[in-house]
Amino acid sequence: MDDASIVQLFWDRSEKALKEVAAKYGRFCHKIALNILGISEDAEECVNDTYLSAWNSMPPKRPQVLPPYLGRITKNHALNLYNKKHAEKRGGGNLALVFDELDEVLSGSETADSELFRKELLSLINGFLSELPSDKRKIFVCRYWYSDSVKDIAERMHMTENNVSVSLNRMRNQLRKKLEEGGYFS
Amino acid sequence: MTGKDLFEIISDIDDNYITEAHEEDILNPVASSSSEGASSSSAKAPVPAAPAKRRKLIRIVLPTAAGIAALALAVFGLWKGGIIGGKKDLIEQQCETLTSFTADVTTAVTTVPMSTGDATTTTEGLEPHVSLESSEVIVTNPTDFHGDVLVSISIPEDKKIEKDGGLVPSELELTITNEGTSPLYIEEVFTLQKQGDDGEWEDAVVFRHANMSFDERCIAAGDTSTITVGILPEHDELWSGPARLILNVHFYEPDPDDWTKISHETAFYMKAADFDL
């Protein structure tokens, strides 16, 4: 069933919408949550919360493409649970390493933390991604959006783990340089 | 600002990039490529404490997930094999192909400085001299010459849908000829571009063809293959007039035992094909 038909089922308040969305995107959402939380039961809880949020948000929303919409909901639930469980110590899935790597991009700099700054930074990151070749962009998004492990990315992209790590390192440096050029570091 | 803040900002990147990065999982929900994800199926994992209605819904939903997906694949197989569905009356529209690709790729391949052991080497800093602005030639780990790809686009007459008093297609049929010396595969996600008021091509619709296995998207050197691209539900966004299809083509060195398995990728092209919607 295509995404528009599934969204229509949500709008029709048909419980079949949940069947369809679980069949089509259950594993996709589970993977996103598992990457952040590292525990299957926690990930499953997030996926269930995602179905409920989707049920409550459609209508009024009518997303054109479901995976990013559902993925964002799952990610938010997973991050909330992660924050709740790791308020004092780090752990869980791949997230701690991902945070550390992104810390490198900003290291030694002072940046503002306003909503306007965040919007500008998002625009810059979208521009940065648009300039990357598709295979590099996939690696970046797999790591820093999906929190995929380097091993997973290597398998997905038919590369060695070392090559993935090197590519990620280069892209972090490129992003940092772009931030510097854009005057984002004071 | 911390790495965590940056991570949260990255969470809001363009939807297309999110879809692109995990397109195989999205398009093949039953067969996950993730080793971690594969270890725990959402269809089998225990459901935690949840409100009664949720538990009921999820119990109904999850056990049937695999069955629904299998049924969908079976129906698609029958349709693709011509057992169900009507015969298409095609209107052939030969698209514009990039005739300069052959020479350009050769130039790029022969001038790329090789970086031993790094499969992510690209033509960064080089000028590949592509004739169309919206097209790119990106060569990864080049080993030899790969040649060109010819694409023609047909619009099945019986797959057109009325919109704004005119007809727009709900399906495109791509005939792709591999004129190279290595096998290639086509990525599942395609972009349709529209010409803006200033004449520049801009991304308009991102869509994907019906679920096809990886080997069905592989084309051996010298062979021609046809791929059907369903553009529902995005047909609401279509228009009448000039359009440009962007598809991603990967050449690869095949596994000696199975040509549809990749030993390593050797080149990646973004291919532009112009036609009228």
Side-chain angles (χ1 to χ4, degrees):
Chain A
M1 181 176 283
D2 61 48
D3 285 3
S5 303
I6 295 175
V7 171
Q8 190 56 49
L9 288 173
F10 276 104
W11 275 68
D12 295 341
R13 310 315 285 160
S14 165
E15 292 185 2
K16 196 179 170 209
L18 295 168
K19 283 184 192 175
E20 294 294 341
V21 89
K24 195 169 180 185
Y25 296 121
R27 187 178 287 270
F28 169 74
C29 293
H30 188 269
K31 170 68 175 152
I32 291 170
L34 188 66
N35 280 346
I36 291 173
L37 297 163
I39 299 170
S40 183
E41 286 74 14
D42 288 349
E44 194 59 36
E45 186 181 335
C46 283
V47 174
N48 293 341
D49 288 342
T50 299
Y51 298 151
L52 187 62
S53 295
W55 181 261
N56 290 334
S57 63
M58 292 184 283
K61 293 196 173 166
R62 191 184 278 277
Q64 294 290 316
V65 188
L66 272 175
Y69 182 75
L70 295 171
R72 281 202 175 92
I73 295 175
T74 306
K75 208 173 161 187
N76 284 337
H77 283 304
L79 283 172
N80 287 341
L81 190 57
Y82 175 90
N83 288 335
K84 195 172 157 188
K85 291 200 166 192
H86 302 270
E88 294 182 356
K89 61 174 184 177
R90 283 187 166 188
N94 305 314
L95 205 55
L97 284 171
V98 169
F99 286 171
D100 284 343
E101 288 171 16
L102 290 175
D103 267 334
E104 285 176 22
V105 176
L106 303 166
S107 67
S109 66
E110 287 185 18
T111 51
D113 198 12
S114 65
E115 188 56 32
L116 180 62
F117 175 79
R118 282 169 177 260
K119 282 183 181 169
E120 286 179 353
L121 193 51
L122 175 62
S123 173
L124 181 140
I125 292 168
N126 274 325
F128 167 73
L129 290 172
S130 73
E131 290 167 7
L132 289 176
S134 171
D135 52 353
K136 292 260 185 83
R137 184 167 57 235
K138 282 180 185 175
I139 293 171
F140 187 94
V141 174
C142 281
R143 184 63 172 166
Y144 300 120
W145 199 95
Y146 288 95
S147 310
D148 283 339
S149 68
V150 170
K151 184 180 174 211
D152 262 7
I153 299 170
E155 284 175 8
R156 186 183 293 278
M157 303 297 293
H158 310 290
M159 295 166 67
T160 66
E161 291 182 42
N162 182 53
N163 281 335
V164 172
S165 296
V166 169
S167 288
L168 287 169
N169 190 43
R170 285 180 185 166
M171 284 187 279
R172 285 199 302 274
N173 289 336
Q174 285 172 10
L175 179 57
R176 182 180 170 82
K177 194 176 168 194
K178 206 162 177 70
L179 290 170
E180 285 171 349
E181 288 170 356
Y184 285 87
F185 291 163
S186 57
Chain B
M1 177 170 280
T2 65
K4 187 181 172 193
D5 296 321
L6 190 53
F7 178 80
E8 286 174 1
I9 291 170
I10 291 171
S11 295
D12 289 328
I13 59 170
D14 194 289
D15 282 359
N16 293 335
Y17 302 145
I18 300 168
T19 306
E20 175 192 55
H22 269 211
E23 61 184 1
E24 289 185 10
D25 290 349
I26 292 167
L27 296 174
N28 302 296
V30 177
S32 169
S33 64
S34 156
S35 55
E36 288 175 43
S39 65
S40 80
S41 159
S42 61
K44 292 177 182 174
V47 179
K53 182 166 185 178
R54 283 168 60 196
R55 280 206 303 274
K56 180 186 168 194
L57 295 179
I58 291 159
R59 271 202 302 272
I60 295 166
V61 168
L62 298 180
T64 57
I68 290 169
L71 183 62
L73 284 171
V75 170
F76 176 71
L78 290 170
W79 171 79
K80 190 170 184 299
I83 297 168
I84 59 174
K87 190 177 179 181
K88 295 164 192 163
D89 181 18
L90 302 184
I91 296 177
E92 282 286 314
Q93 296 189 26
Q94 186 68 36
C95 71
E96 177 185 328
T97 55
L98 301 181
T99 52
S100 63
F101 254 84
T102 302
D104 294 337
V105 172
T106 309
T107 305
V109 168
T110 53
T111 54
V112 170
M114 293 290 288
S115 173
T116 307
D118 184 356
T120 62
T121 304
T122 70
T123 57
E124 272 176 11
L126 296 175
E127 296 290 335
H129 309 294
V130 179
S131 59
L132 294 178
E133 285 180 11
S134 60
S135 301
E136 293 180 40
V137 175
I138 301 158
V139 181
T140 55
N141 206 19
T143 53
D144 57 8
F145 171 63
H146 296 282
D148 203 354
V149 185
L150 292 180
V151 184
S152 70
I153 301 174
S154 309
I155 300 175
E157 191 66 13
D158 59 346
K159 298 289 181 186
K160 287 190 173 179
I161 292 172
E162 191 173 341
K163 189 198 172 196
D164 300 334
L167 290 174
V168 296
S170 65
E171 201 172 282
L172 302 178
E173 205 165 83
L174 313 182
T175 304
I176 301 167
T177 302
N178 179 356
E179 294 202 327
T181 55
S182 303
L184 61 81
Y185 74 90
I186 306 293
E187 282 186 20
E188 293 152 312
V189 175
F190 300 80
T191 303
L192 208 54
Q193 293 187 323
K194 188 178 187 179
Q195 225 161 2
D197 295 337
D198 56 1
E200 293 291 313
W201 290 100
E202 299 165 353
D203 288 357
V205 189
V206 176
F207 55 92
R208 55 185 181 262
H209 61 72
N211 282 355
M212 287 178 76
S213 64
F214 178 77
D215 57 354
E216 285 178 292
R217 288 183 281 119
C218 293
I219 306 172
D223 273 8
T224 297
S225 182
T226 300
I227 291 179
T228 301
V229 181
I231 51 180
L232 285 171
E234 294 85 353
H235 73 273
D236 281 345
E237 298 169 40
L238 291 185
W239 62 96
S240 295
R244 172 171 289 178
L245 184 79
I246 304 288
L247 64 162
N248 296 333
V249 180
H250 297 250
F251 281 97
Y252 62 90
E253 196 67 40
D255 185 299
D257 298 326
D258 183 352
W259 74 271
T260 62
K261 288 186 177 168
I262 298 171
S263 170
H264 60 273
E265 292 203 15
T266 52
F268 165 64
Y269 304 165
M270 286 178 74
K271 185 75 180 174
D274 291 353
F275 67 111
D276 281 324
L277 270 173

